[in-house]
Amino acid sequence: MEDVAGFIDATLQNEGTWYRAEEVESRLDGALTSYGASVGAVRGTVRDAGTKFKGLGHDDVTALASQLWGRPEPGRRAVYERRLAAVVLLQSRVAFLRHSDLTRLEGFIRSAHTAELVDPLVTDVVVPLLAALDGADRQRARVVTARWSRDPDPWVRHAAALAAEITARTA
């Protein structure tokens, strides 16, 4: 996944502008750094990576999402556009995900630092994942999301409430 993550990272850096990076970092109160790439550039980069690197399976997608979510290098802050690329990747491959991936998604939610990442992660990844589950997998997922609703972390509680709200609206 190093090649795919490297392609995405380099492309996002090339697409960025200093003034957009400053605006994003200011909006996020410095919680994340930014390359200054637009949302369209992020979406296009993930699409292009999927075309260039075909045949990504479940393990590839989850490993790539984790790699993008993390820090680009030790000692550097996480990058907003890399994390958004992870969300876009998961949105595009949500059918690959399993109930056991909720643990990884919970980690992303805990470290997102902004509703700009948490909300699409819940709306477009967690909710469709939960809707696709049945039987024992659905029951296991319900246990996880019930635990989220009581979690001390406000982002995890927010994710649980948002998922419950969306599920109730669509039921």
Side-chain angles (χ1 to χ4, degrees):
M1 293 296 89
E2 289 288 327
D3 291 345
V4 186
F7 170 81
I8 291 172
D9 191 72
T11 304
L12 293 176
Q13 287 184 54
N14 289 335
E15 292 287 334
T17 61
W18 64 267
Y19 58 88
R20 192 177 292 120
E22 284 183 356
E23 188 274 323
V24 169
E25 289 178 13
S26 173
R27 191 175 68 236
L28 300 178
D29 291 327
L32 301 169
T33 192
S34 174
Y35 291 153
S38 69
V39 172
V42 173
R43 291 190 175 286
T45 299
V46 172
R47 181 196 61 235
D48 292 348
T51 301
K52 183 177 174 90
F53 301 94
K54 295 188 183 306
L56 299 180
H58 170 269
D59 292 349
D60 301 319
V61 168
T62 56
L64 178 57
S66 290
Q67 194 167 4
L68 291 169
W69 197 268
R71 297 173 183 210
E73 295 175 7
R76 289 190 51 207
R77 287 185 297 160
V79 179
Y80 172 76
E81 290 83 1
R82 287 172 55 102
R83 288 187 170 187
L84 184 58
V87 173
V88 170
L89 173 68
L90 293 169
Q91 288 170 332
S92 69
R93 301 294 201 288
V94 72
F96 287 12
L97 300 179
R98 306 173 185 143
H99 76 280
S100 58
D101 294 318
L102 286 171
T103 304
R104 181 183 315 264
L105 297 173
E106 179 181 338
F108 291 172
I109 291 164
R110 284 183 189 285
S111 62
H113 304 296
T114 177
E116 291 181 38
L117 295 170
V118 172
D119 290 358
L121 192 59
V122 171
T123 302
D124 302 330
V125 181
V126 172
V127 170
L129 168 61
L130 295 173
L133 298 175
D134 56 13
D137 289 344
R138 176 171 276 193
Q139 186 57 34
R140 289 182 190 106
R142 283 188 183 142
V143 169
V144 171
T145 56
R147 180 180 48 76
W148 287 5
S149 67
R150 298 181 311 275
D151 197 279
D153 186 291
W155 288 115
V156 176
R157 286 194 317 274
H158 170 79
L162 182 58
E165 176 188 327
I166 294 167
T167 302
R169 276 194 316 234
T170 59

